[in-house]
């Protein structure tokens, strides 16, 4: 409407045909540029997304996603916005994202054995300071995990689809029926 433009749309009558054509061409050019960028983003180009959005937080993560190198000097380190102190031993090091600890990686790393599946199925407890599992005693039942004071429970790493797909493997691990009822069957029943 008339109220949306600067000047209330009064000056649109005063534009010549040539000015209107130039304005129209600029708008079309800008529209095409934005559509091209959106197509690139839809294709999943993370580098382009980062460069278009200009996020300002977590510089180390951004540098890892862009596969940048660690700065070579203290001056360049200060410009990057990285936290901590400059480490000359890391100069020129290629920064890479660490792969996530998925259940597939855990099974590959530690084997398709009962201890691996137990750690994946049982919600683990972490203290905020140590970020490590806290267990009562080795003599206690395999599912006797305690919530440490100030600790946070990490949800199980196996999703519902993976749980159903690996149900036969889990059953062949020899877990007790109470353990299966508490950590497997109850999750399946609750959906």
């Amino acid at each position: 409407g008339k109220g949306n433009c600067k000047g209330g749309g009064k000056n649109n009558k005063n534009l010549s045909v040539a000015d209107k054509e130039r304005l129209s061409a600029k708008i079309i050019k800008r529209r095409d540029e934005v559509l091209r960028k959106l197509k690139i983003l839809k294709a999943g180009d993370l580098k382009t997304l980062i460069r278009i959005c200009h996020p300002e937080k977590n510089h180390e993560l951004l540098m890892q996603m862009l596969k940048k190198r660690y700065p070579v000097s203290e001056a360049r380190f200060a410009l990057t916005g990285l936290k901590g102190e400059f480490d000359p031993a890391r100069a020129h090091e290629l920064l890479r994202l660490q792969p996530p600890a998925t259940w597939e990686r855990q099974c590959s790393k530690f084997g398709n054995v009962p201890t691996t599946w137990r750690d994946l199925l049982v919600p683990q407890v972490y203290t905020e300071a140590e970020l490590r599992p806290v267990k009562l005693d080795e003599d206690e039942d395999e599912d006797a995990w305690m919530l440490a004071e100030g600790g946070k429970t990490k949800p199980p790493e196996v999703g519902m689809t993976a749980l159903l797909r690996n149900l036969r493997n889990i059953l062949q691990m020899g877990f007790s029926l109470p353990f299966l009822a508490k950590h497997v069957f109850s999750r399946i029943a609750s959906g």
Side-chain angles (χ1 to χ4, degrees):
K2 289 184 177 182
N4 293 340
C5 298
K6 187 175 181 181
K10 295 181 250 178
N11 296 332
N12 289 347
K13 296 175 191 173
N14 298 336
L15 289 176
S16 68
V17 173
D19 288 340
K20 287 182 181 179
E21 287 176 1
R22 277 195 299 272
L23 185 60
S24 177
K26 285 183 179 180
I27 290 172
I28 289 171
K29 183 180 177 183
R30 179 69 179 140
R31 182 200 65 195
D32 292 343
E33 182 183 322
V34 169
L35 288 174
R36 183 182 57 78
K37 287 182 179 180
L38 284 174
K39 284 180 185 176
I40 291 171
L41 293 178
K42 284 183 181 177
D45 186 1
L46 188 59
K47 288 182 181 182
T48 305
L49 175 66
I50 291 170
R51 289 185 176 126
I52 289 172
C53 295
H54 304 291
E56 295 182 10
K57 298 208 177 186
N58 203 342
H59 295 280
E60 187 170 1
L61 178 63
L62 293 174
M63 289 179 71
Q64 289 171 344
M65 288 192 291
L66 294 172
K67 297 180 182 171
K68 297 282 185 180
R69 294 195 178 273
Y70 192 83
V72 295
S73 66
E74 286 190 46
R76 288 196 178 180
F77 180 82
L79 291 174
T80 62
L82 293 172
K83 293 181 181 176
E85 298 289 323
F86 173 70
D87 183 6
R90 292 184 65 192
H92 295 293
E93 175 187 320
L94 189 62
L95 300 175
R96 297 176 184 253
L97 287 172
Q98 296 299 315
T102 62
W103 69 268
E104 294 103 333
R105 289 183 187 274
Q106 298 296 90
C107 280
S108 294
K109 186 176 182 180
F110 300 112
N112 189 19
V113 294
T115 53
T116 303
W117 280 106
R118 182 194 65 221
D119 291 343
L120 292 171
L121 294 170
V122 176
Q124 305 214 5
V125 179
Y126 294 91
T127 63
E128 290 184 28
E130 299 174 336
L131 291 176
R132 65 178 177 80
V134 178
K135 194 166 181 178
L136 291 174
D137 289 320
E138 292 298 323
D139 302 330
E140 294 194 20
D141 194 297
E142 58 197 15
D143 59 347
W145 291 76
M146 63 176 266
L147 179 61
E149 187 175 329
K152 293 186 176 182
T153 303
K154 180 182 174 194
E157 296 184 25
V158 181
M160 182 58 70
T161 305
L163 184 66
L164 292 172
R165 192 171 55 229
N166 289 287
L167 188 57
R168 184 176 65 94
N169 290 342
I170 295 168
L171 293 174
Q172 289 177 338
M173 292 296 129
F175 290 118
S176 65
L177 192 55
F179 177 87
L180 291 171
K182 181 176 180 181
H183 298 291
V184 179
F185 303 143
S186 64
R187 284 188 58 206
I188 292 172
S190 66

